[in-house]
């Protein structure tokens, strides 16, 4: 084989290797882009889920606050009723003493 033919054969081999490497890299690149797209979809889904859960949490927190307020109101009503009974008893005692 002549030196030129040897050089040409080496060049052709290198070009084929480069083409194969290019195809491998292209396939890997497509897989990576698919992974990025999937991750972005997952992120959007998780953010929407987080917003929904945050809204639910705020609603529950508000309901709990209202529940505590209602409980305090009931306690206050009971205390006021007891005070009224005590005042009525005192009035009855004072009325009897006259």
């Amino acid at each position: 084989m002549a030196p030129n033919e040897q050089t040409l054969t080496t060049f052709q081999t290198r070009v084929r290797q480069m083409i194969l490497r290019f195809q491998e890299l292209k396939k890997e690149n497509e897989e990576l882009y698919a992974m990025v797209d999937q991750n972005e979809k997952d992120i959007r889904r998780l953010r929407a889920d987080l917003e929904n859960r945050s809204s639910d949490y705020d609603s529950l927190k508000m309901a709990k606050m209202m529940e505590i307020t209602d409980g305090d109101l009931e306690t206050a009503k009971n205390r006021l009723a007891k005070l009224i009974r005590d005042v009525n008893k005192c009035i009855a005692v004072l009325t009897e003493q006259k």
Side-chain angles (χ1 to χ4, degrees):
M1 213 186 274
N4 286 338
E5 289 177 12
Q6 179 67 27
T7 304
L8 184 59
T9 303
T10 304
F11 178 73
Q12 288 175 342
T13 303
R14 300 275 186 216
V15 168
R16 285 189 192 115
Q17 289 174 345
M18 287 176 53
I19 290 172
L20 289 174
R21 182 67 178 143
F22 170 76
Q23 290 172 345
E24 290 172 1
L25 289 173
K26 186 176 178 182
K27 183 179 177 184
E28 182 182 356
N29 192 28
E30 289 171 357
E31 291 171 357
L32 290 173
Y33 271 109
M35 285 175 55
V36 167
D37 289 341
Q38 182 62 41
N39 288 340
E40 287 176 353
K41 287 178 187 177
D42 289 345
I43 288 170
R44 282 193 296 272
R45 180 182 53 82
L46 290 171
R47 282 187 178 159
D49 189 39
L50 177 63
E51 288 177 18
N52 288 338
R53 290 178 191 260
S54 178
S55 175
D56 291 346
Y57 174 74
D58 289 341
S59 297
L60 286 172
K61 193 166 60 171
M62 182 70 73
K64 187 67 175 173
M65 289 171 60
M66 293 176 82
E67 179 182 307
I68 290 170
T69 302
D70 291 344
D72 290 344
L73 182 62
E74 188 65 32
T75 303
K77 283 181 181 179
N78 290 338
R79 286 180 57 204
L80 185 59
K82 184 178 182 284
L83 288 173
I84 290 173
R85 284 193 302 271
D86 290 343
V87 168
N88 285 338
K89 287 178 185 176
C90 290
I91 291 174
V93 168
L94 288 175
T95 305
E96 290 176 7
Q97 289 180 356
K98 285 188 180 182

